[in-house]
Amino acid sequence: MNYKQKRILKHAFLIVFTLLMLYPVIWLFLGSVKANHEIFTPGNIFPSEWLWSNYKKGWNAIPGYTFGNFFINSFKISILIVIGSVFSTTLAAYAFARLEFPLKNFLFTVLMATLMLPQQVLLVPRYVLYSRLGWVNSYKALTVPAFAAQFSGAFFIYLLVQFIRGIPRELDEAAVVDGCSQFRIFWNIIMPNCKPAIFSVALFAFMWSWDDFLNQLLYINDVGKYTVSLGLRLFLDNAAAVSWGSLFAMSILSLVPVVTIFFLAQNFFVEGIATTGVKG
Amino acid sequence: MKIISRKKGPLINRDHLTAYLFLAPWLIGILFFTLWPFITSFIMSLQETNLFSTKFVGLDNYRALLSDRRFIKSLKVTIKFVVISVPLKLSFALFIAMLLKDKIKGVNFFRSALYLPSLIGTSVAVAAMWTQLFGPSGLINDILGIFGIQGKSWIANPKTALYVLVILVVWQFGSSMVIFLSGLKNIPVSLYEAAEIDGANKIQSFFYVTLPMLSPIILFNLILQTIGSFQTFTQAYIITKGGPINETLFMVLYIYNKAFTASEMGYASALSWVLLFVILIVTGLIYWTSKYWVYYES
């Protein structure tokens, strides 16, 4: 086999493989516009009639609420978590990357330890703590910890610290000579220079909070406060009686925000900028 | 070159105060939302707690674990799941990364498309989809039907349920793939050229150049994915609900059931500590073996 044949073979393999990997999502989408019986009939890839009404049915499937409510709730939580994470992790990262203070090494070790600490281990005691604070069945248990850098905060701080260390120190030293305060340096020099890293923190905070299920399951009880994930779960539990097509339709809609963000910022992810802060 | 020299002064000076001001949100968070729960978790594991009362029982919860058959089962299936899914996922990620490392037509499309599952994989929507794919009349059985094989529900079968979840996790190989890709790019071309001059073929240069040079990244991915895999919850909760006959009762799911369905918070805390220790031991073992297979350039 010569070089050209090999290349064609490799290409063909990749195309088939990628299609195979994406097929479940394509199947989900096509299922969202099919009638119930057609989804589970072998051989029908495309619907005989495109039933867009599944989307309308799914939207109103939970009595008394629409998926619009769930989407608004999910957006509220995710946006608060993004704001809180960016606020708290950039401040801490600046201190670790640029400032000197007592116990710095010890605290950095603590940070690295929490990076490895499995969050699920804290499931029970956190629940007890938040219920004592009266945070159960409100968004506080989900969002307040983000303002204290406890929503994947260790990972975000680590990412930002690595990035800030790459910014030339001459920039801040010049500012010190000009009499800038530490806060001015942080705000006017460091923040503008680490936009890509801040962008990564915001992206991950949004996507991880959007897809989070366990915490939402624990801390939200009222259907009126449900997020998209919880709404879908409720729908899934009753789906035997309802149409699968409309469940698939809502599943597709629930993926739209994350998938849209991904495609808008795809180079950011696939070139490793999002995880390492540098183009690799 | 130091431009300004700091005046010697009291132990905590203004600069230190400023630094702690920057750290304040994180410090508060670490103390109240991580350290405090961490300590109370241990105290709770020594207590028998239910909705109405709390009483100190020493190590009774841990002793009870030893004779809890569901716990033993849970530990077994969790470890089995990690041991099967993580190496599979990483081999997949590395194999595809090798195919995508060179400039080929549409390489960005392939990378993006293959990365996507790792972003949406833990969502309820994908879990719902998986339930249907592997259900009695789902897509998988449709395909098998073409070959004349009559499949049953893969989820309700105790022999296959775990593997339905393994496939779901392996499907999300994209994020590891991206990390491998950036590692592959950093291997100097000169090493491959040298290997070629020495008469190495493609397979030899993979084993003698690529793998050693990539080994730190492999270690990183291995530890990251192992810790993540031990914490699998959503997929098992929605797709298999821990069943059939506890075949997919992962540790976190068991902790959840004990704490929030049975209200045995103390017992669930003891379970959490066992999970933490298991993760520590396994990652510790991986780290310990790394000196035999991870190659660091000096």
Side-chain angles (χ1 to χ4, degrees):
Chain A
M1 215 166 17
N2 65 30
Y3 179 69
K4 205 177 169 191
Q5 278 172 319
K6 258 187 186 164
R7 222 180 47 186
I8 291 170
L9 196 72
K10 187 167 136 184
H11 227 112
F13 172 78
L14 276 173
I15 290 170
V16 172
F17 180 76
T18 306
L19 267 179
L20 192 74
M21 289 294 110
L22 289 185
Y23 194 71
V25 184
I26 299 168
W27 182 78
L28 184 71
F29 171 69
L30 291 172
S32 76
V33 286
K34 281 180 188 170
N36 235 4
H37 65 273
E38 244 183 310
I39 298 173
F40 301 111
T41 316
N44 293 335
I45 294 176
F46 293 99
S48 57
E49 189 193 349
W50 292 64
L51 284 177
W52 293 103
S53 59
N54 279 342
Y55 280 79
K56 206 179 158 192
K57 263 200 272 171
W59 193 259
N60 299 308
I62 312 288
Y65 302 96
T66 66
F67 264 81
N69 301 112
F70 305 150
F71 270 93
I72 290 170
N73 293 340
S74 273
F75 272 114
K76 265 190 210 160
I77 294 171
S78 289
I79 288 169
L80 278 172
I81 289 180
V82 167
I83 294 171
S85 294
V86 169
F87 159 78
S88 57
T89 60
T90 47
L91 287 174
Y94 178 68
F96 278 122
R98 282 293 205 259
L99 305 178
E100 291 305 323
F101 50 89
L103 296 178
K104 183 175 174 178
N105 287 335
F106 169 73
L107 289 174
F108 197 71
T109 312
V110 171
L111 178 79
M112 296 314 287
T114 54
L115 186 64
M116 307 296 269
L117 181 75
Q119 295 295 304
Q120 321 290 43
V121 172
L122 303 175
L123 205 63
V124 179
R126 271 190 183 158
Y127 184 85
V128 173
L129 175 69
Y130 297 159
S131 61
R132 281 209 191 117
L133 290 168
W135 287 2
V136 173
N137 204 20
S138 79
Y139 297 153
K140 283 184 194 142
L142 303 172
T143 56
V144 174
F147 282 85
Q150 299 304 306
F151 181 86
S152 303
F155 171 70
F156 294 153
I157 293 172
Y158 179 70
L159 195 137
L160 287 161
V161 166
Q162 294 296 89
F163 198 87
I164 295 172
R165 280 180 181 159
I167 300 171
R169 264 186 190 267
E170 284 78 10
L171 286 178
D172 349 355
E173 279 165 0
V176 171
V177 172
D178 290 347
C180 280
S181 67
Q182 288 296 347
F183 187 76
R184 287 268 315 267
I185 296 171
F186 167 74
W187 189 253
N188 291 340
I189 294 169
I190 301 298
M191 288 293 266
N193 275 301
C194 64
K195 272 185 198 148
I198 296 171
F199 192 52
S200 307
V201 169
L203 283 178
F204 280 118
F206 184 87
M207 293 193 300
W208 289 343
S209 59
W210 188 270
D211 278 345
D212 175 35
F213 174 68
L214 179 52
N215 288 310
Q216 299 175 357
L217 179 70
L218 278 182
Y219 294 114
I220 305 176
N221 307 328
D222 289 350
V223 180
K225 291 177 182 161
Y226 265 23
T227 59
V228 177
S229 300
L230 293 175
L232 264 184
R233 208 278 309 244
L234 185 64
F235 193 1
L236 184 65
D237 282 352
N238 307 323
V242 201
S243 102
W244 284 103
S246 45
L247 174 72
F248 285 10
M250 290 307 104
S251 300
I252 285 287
L253 282 190
S254 80
L255 297 175
V256 166
V258 169
V259 173
T260 310
I261 287 178
F262 171 67
F263 278 111
L264 290 178
Q266 56 176 312
N267 290 333
F268 223 74
F269 290 98
V270 295
E271 284 174 17
I273 306 171
T275 35
T276 57
V278 278
K279 210 168 162 171
Chain B
M1 185 181 71
K2 220 165 192 178
I3 298 177
I4 33 157
S5 60
R6 208 174 277 125
K7 267 182 266 173
K8 283 218 170 103
L11 192 65
I12 300 271
N13 60 25
R14 259 195 68 182
D15 287 353
H16 296 161
L17 269 180
T18 315
Y20 275 104
L21 221 55
F22 275 96
L23 276 181
W26 174 75
L27 265 178
I28 294 169
I30 262 300
L31 286 175
F32 287 95
F33 300 133
T34 299
L35 196 64
W36 175 247
F38 193 68
I39 295 165
T40 50
S41 165
F42 183 68
I43 298 168
M44 283 172 72
S45 79
L46 305 175
Q47 293 170 335
E48 194 184 302
T49 347
N50 54 38
L51 283 177
F52 313 102
S53 68
T54 303
K55 122 179 146 213
F56 182 82
V57 293
L59 293 173
D60 277 6
N61 285 326
Y62 292 95
R63 261 182 230 121
L65 281 174
L66 295 174
S67 52
D68 178 356
R69 285 174 64 189
R70 291 186 75 194
F71 159 71
I72 307 278
K73 179 83 179 182
S74 169
L75 191 61
K76 265 190 198 159
V77 295
T78 310
I79 291 176
K80 189 174 167 192
F81 177 73
V82 173
V83 168
I84 297 172
S85 68
V86 173
L88 259 180
K89 184 184 195 175
L90 292 185
S91 325
F92 233 64
L94 181 57
F95 175 64
I96 302 298
M98 289 297 290
L99 291 180
L100 289 177
K101 80 180 159 82
D102 305 315
K103 274 261 169 280
I104 49 167
K105 231 184 184 174
V107 70
N108 285 336
F109 166 76
F110 291 125
R111 280 186 200 173
S112 299
L114 294 172
Y115 185 85
L116 192 64
S118 68
L119 274 185
I120 59 176
T122 55
S123 64
V124 176
V126 166
M129 169 179 95
W130 225 252
T131 313
Q132 291 316 307
L133 281 177
F134 289 88
S137 47
L139 180 68
I140 303 302
N141 282 343
D142 284 0
I143 295 168
L144 289 176
I146 298 171
F147 302 103
I149 302 164
Q150 184 77 50
K152 286 184 191 146
S153 169
W154 300 86
I155 294 162
N157 183 342
K159 287 210 178 75
T160 53
L162 186 75
Y163 297 96
V164 171
L165 300 182
V166 168
I167 296 169
L168 174 51
V169 170
V170 174
W171 184 59
Q172 302 163 41
F173 66 90
S175 57
S176 311
M177 173 192 80
V178 166
I179 296 173
F180 277 139
L181 270 169
S182 61
L184 286 170
K185 271 192 192 162
N186 289 330
I187 302 176
V189 186
S190 58
L191 288 179
Y192 288 109
E193 287 164 355
E196 208 175 324
I197 290 166
D198 289 345
N201 60 28
K202 277 267 164 72
I203 293 166
Q204 281 169 325
S205 74
F206 174 77
F207 281 103
Y208 294 105
V209 179
T210 310
L211 275 188
M213 291 302 286
L214 204 61
S215 55
I217 306 263
I218 297 176
L219 176 68
F220 173 78
N221 264 339
L222 189 60
I223 288 182
L224 209 68
Q225 294 299 333
T226 303
I227 296 177
S229 195
F230 266 112
Q231 300 184 72
T232 308
F233 174 80
T234 309
Q235 295 95 321
Y237 179 84
I238 289 183
I239 300 172
T240 55
K241 301 181 172 66
I245 48 171
N246 301 332
E247 276 303 327
T248 58
L249 185 69
F250 297 148
M251 287 285 285
V252 177
L253 194 56
Y254 193 42
I255 294 172
Y256 174 86
N257 287 343
K258 277 289 174 197
F260 304 108
T261 313
S263 290
E264 294 174 33
M265 296 279 189
Y267 195 73
S269 299
L271 280 170
S272 305
W273 276 84
V274 172
L275 174 64
L276 179 64
F277 271 104
V278 172
I279 295 178
L280 275 179
I281 290 168
V282 173
T283 47
L285 271 177
I286 294 173
Y287 199 76
W288 178 74
T289 63
S290 73
K291 64 181 175 211
Y292 298 108
W293 59 272
V294 174
Y295 171 81
Y296 288 105
E297 267 176 300
S298 47

